[in-house]
Amino acid sequence: MEPGNYGSILLCRTGPTRHNIRIVERAKDQGLEWNPYRGVITPKGEVLAAETEAEIYTALGLPWHEPADRDACSF
């Protein structure tokens, strides 16, 4: 595990899969990448957000959702 990537791993593991796919697509729409083991990555390879789930949602311009509510969320 890289230092400071706990939030990204937690986000990935609490899924669900289709929610994770939406996170990946949202990152791509913004010219970024979401790597579950590193976080939100800029085109230059810099980690933009990874420490907390909320930080990742914020970096992608999304409201944070509790894991139990992620099946129903739409963005």
Side-chain angles (χ1 to χ4, degrees):
M1 216 168 26
E2 287 185 27
N5 69 344
Y6 181 77
S8 190
I9 291 172
L10 184 63
L11 178 60
C12 173
R13 296 297 177 214
T14 56
T17 301
R18 70 179 151 206
H19 181 267
N20 291 347
I21 290 169
R22 285 187 236 145
I23 295 287
V24 168
E25 290 170 346
R26 178 69 176 223
K28 284 182 182 180
D29 289 346
Q30 295 181 7
L32 303 168
E33 173 189 353
W34 178 54
N35 177 313
Y37 298 100
R38 291 194 62 217
V40 178
I41 312 297
T42 69
K44 293 182 178 182
E46 300 164 336
V47 177
L48 182 62
E51 291 186 19
T52 67
E53 292 179 314
E55 180 183 76
I56 292 165
Y57 279 89
T58 298
L60 298 175
L62 299 169
W64 184 77
H65 295 279
E66 290 279 346
D69 298 331
R70 291 181 184 163
D71 259 336
C73 76
S74 61
F75 48 79

